[in-house]
Amino acid sequence: MSAGGPGAAAEAEEAVRTRLARAGRRVAGLGVATVETAGRLRALAAAASASEGARERARVLRDASRRVLELHGVEVEAEGPLPLGAALLASNHLSWLDPLVVASLVPCAPVSKVDVSRWPVIGAIARPDDIRFAAALPKTRSGKIMRRLLKDVASGAVTQGDTSTLEDLNVLAQLRADEE
């Protein structure tokens, strides 16, 4: 007989059932969110322009990130102003939640190191057009130039203007090659 008696065993069993039911709801919710997201992304294949398609993919990622955080009971509160237009947000994230939080707040097109594409589960999910993988980001002393270059890559525009402070043009070429 257990130390707590039959009542304690029944409570423990009920707690396990409750946790399993909650986990089941999360898994089912993630499945539904995945199917809905995949459907929205498939519909974007016929987007009128590359830049509009990129903006809509960013909105799809934002909505999916919000849903995943909601399913896990994560409430996001932002302090201070969020970028309204094109912006470069650099983050050395500490957990798997950080990219979801950023994407839930601001429509974005993530850039990640190439080794993330080989991670189990995440790598397979991250393979669509939403995330570009690179061995390195274009390094420059100017954040303004960096934002312009990444915006050009994301929108499919031809890079014009000053690239003289860019450390390695091959990185930019690699990002473009991955787009095609």
Side-chain angles (χ1 to χ4, degrees):
M1 184 158 238
S2 66
E11 285 179 27
E13 192 174 303
E14 181 60 31
V16 168
R17 273 197 295 274
T18 300
R19 283 195 304 272
L20 286 173
R22 189 172 33 227
R25 284 191 300 274
R26 282 185 185 155
V27 169
L30 288 170
V32 168
T34 300
V35 169
E36 287 173 353
T37 301
R40 285 180 67 187
L41 290 174
R42 235 179 274 120
L44 284 175
S49 69
S51 61
E52 184 53 39
R55 279 192 285 276
E56 187 57 31
R57 278 193 308 274
R59 288 185 203 108
V60 170
L61 176 62
R62 180 200 57 204
D63 296 345
S65 296
R66 287 177 176 173
R67 182 69 180 129
V68 169
L69 291 170
E70 177 187 308
L71 284 167
H72 289 283
V74 176
E75 293 181 24
V76 176
E77 243 181 69
E79 291 184 17
L82 296 172
L84 298 176
L88 175 65
L89 302 173
S91 172
N92 186 10
H93 59 85
L94 301 175
S95 80
W96 65 272
L97 279 175
D98 295 348
L100 289 171
V101 168
V102 170
S104 75
L105 293 171
V106 183
C108 59
V111 177
S112 178
K113 289 184 78 171
V114 73
D115 55 321
V116 173
S117 69
R118 292 186 286 272
W119 290 1
V121 181
I122 299 297
I125 293 169
R127 270 286 155 213
D129 293 341
D130 295 343
I131 298 180
R132 292 181 176 88
F133 295 97
L137 287 175
K139 290 187 174 86
T140 177
R141 293 184 302 272
S142 167
K144 186 175 182 180
I145 291 173
M146 167 76 87
R147 284 189 299 277
R148 180 176 51 81
L149 293 173
L150 291 176
K151 183 179 176 188
D152 287 349
V153 169
S155 69
V158 175
T159 299
Q160 297 176 342
D162 183 19
T163 58
S164 61
T165 62
L166 195 59
E167 206 174 88
D168 183 2
L169 282 171
N170 292 326
V171 172
L172 196 58
Q174 177 65 44
L175 285 170
R176 287 195 184 281
D178 289 346
E179 177 67 12
E180 296 168 356

